[in-house]
Amino acid sequence: MLQLPKVIAHRGASAYAPENTLAAFREARRRGAPWVEIDVKLTADGIPVVMHDASLKRTMGVDRLVAQTNRADLPGDVPTFEETIALLADLGLGCNVEIKPCEGREAETGRVTVETLRRCWPASLPPPLLSSFKDVSLIAARDAAPEIARAVLIDRIEEGWRARAEAVGAVGVNTNGRKLTAAEAVEVKEAGYLLSVYTINQPAVARILVAMGADCIITDVPDTILVALASLAKT
Ligand code: G3P
Ligand code: MG
């Protein structure tokens, strides 16, 4: 069974450094995070890069779609997935790799992501966890690399969540912690899934979610949440 850490730094330590950049991953390590969460999508020429939005505008100030930009023309701060893996290896950081495809490239992005992991993921790191809101991406990932663990990303647990998880062969459910009820947390845990919640930046909320059964908190402030959960462990 996949070993998940208690805390994952969302898009790196994104409260302290620009999200999904090498600087954010270094900052995550500096602040004690054992893993980071990253978003992977493809450039126009099919290179997997780490970027949340379809457009470069919000984070890089360039009004252009990633899907229409070749790797060579991307702003220098956008790391490739391969560069990111190499840094994670240096830093000793594990990773929740969210497959975040541009529209129409769902299956291709899932396949390329796991091909890259198979080629580049170092044995020195714990095995990664894939996740996606797009089941098509997870199914393509499963078909190409069934051995890499998968989690369904679900904004709100509702009827049919389990069928989704089973259809992609998931070991985990990653869900919006702000919308999760105690009963839903019990339902997910009793069904045997790892339960991760995003994006939780308040210590009190993190403690409640762990008490409800969450295995892992995905957060922009890993240092704060690590402290919050450490004090919980002592009580
Ligand atoms: O993977 C957890 C979280 O990152 C999902 O939402 O929009 O931040 O990628 P988003
Ligand atoms: Mg994400």
Side-chain angles (χ1 to χ4, degrees):
M1 182 62 136
L2 181 83
Q3 292 293 312
L4 266 188
K6 290 247 175 287
V7 174
I8 294 181
H10 182 239
R11 311 181 193 173
S14 57
Y16 309 109
E19 67 180 56
N20 280 325
T21 62
L22 299 183
F25 309 143
R26 288 193 190 96
E27 193 62 23
R29 171 79 286 178
R30 210 174 68 72
R31 291 177 184 266
W35 284 39
V36 292
E37 183 263 3
I38 66 174
D39 303 288
V40 173
K41 53 174 37 72
L42 301 180
T43 58
D45 49 346
I47 307 297
V49 295
V50 178
M51 165 67 57
H52 180 274
D53 296 1
S55 165
L56 296 160
K57 185 145 200 289
R58 178 180 60 87
T59 56
M60 298 291 155
V62 179
D63 196 1
R64 202 163 166 183
L65 295 177
V66 176
Q68 293 176 358
T69 307
N70 284 337
R71 162 61 191 145
D73 299 324
L74 279 181
D77 284 349
V78 179
T80 65
F81 186 30
E82 276 199 51
E83 283 167 353
T84 299
I85 294 171
L87 179 66
L88 299 184
D90 285 348
L91 297 173
L93 281 173
C95 194
N96 171 199
V97 180
E98 181 183 341
I99 306 167
K100 190 76 120 185
C102 300
E103 211 179 323
R105 301 182 82 181
E106 289 81 7
E108 184 190 5
T109 308
R111 185 173 43 73
V112 171
T113 298
V114 295
E115 284 170 1
T116 307
L117 283 170
R118 268 200 173 160
R119 196 161 35 79
C120 303
W121 190 256
S124 59
L125 291 179
L129 175 65
L130 293 167
S131 60
S132 189
F133 289 106
K134 304 290 185 186
D135 294 356
V136 172
S137 297
L138 290 172
I139 287 168
R142 179 200 63 194
D143 290 349
E147 77 283 3
I148 304 179
R150 293 166 301 282
V152 277
L153 260 167
I154 302 179
D155 183 54
R156 158 139 239 159
I157 305 291
E158 53 198 0
E159 213 180 313
W161 72 266
R162 196 163 173 175
R164 268 193 66 194
E166 283 171 6
V168 306
V171 300
V173 173
N174 293 10
T175 193
N176 187 331
R178 290 261 166 208
K179 299 180 181 174
L180 184 69
T181 67
E184 289 161 355
V186 168
E187 190 184 333
V188 171
K189 288 308 299 171
E190 284 188 347
Y193 292 94
L194 293 166
L195 175 61
S196 301
V197 288
Y198 63 85
T199 304
I200 303 301
N201 296 334
Q202 286 83 14
V205 179
R207 283 196 286 263
I208 289 167
L209 286 162
V210 168
M212 280 164 51
D215 298 294
C216 174
I217 306 287
I218 301 174
T219 177
D220 301 325
V221 287
D223 47 354
T224 302
I225 300 301
L226 281 163
V227 169
L229 300 189
S231 65
L232 189 70
K234 283 182 208 134
T235 56

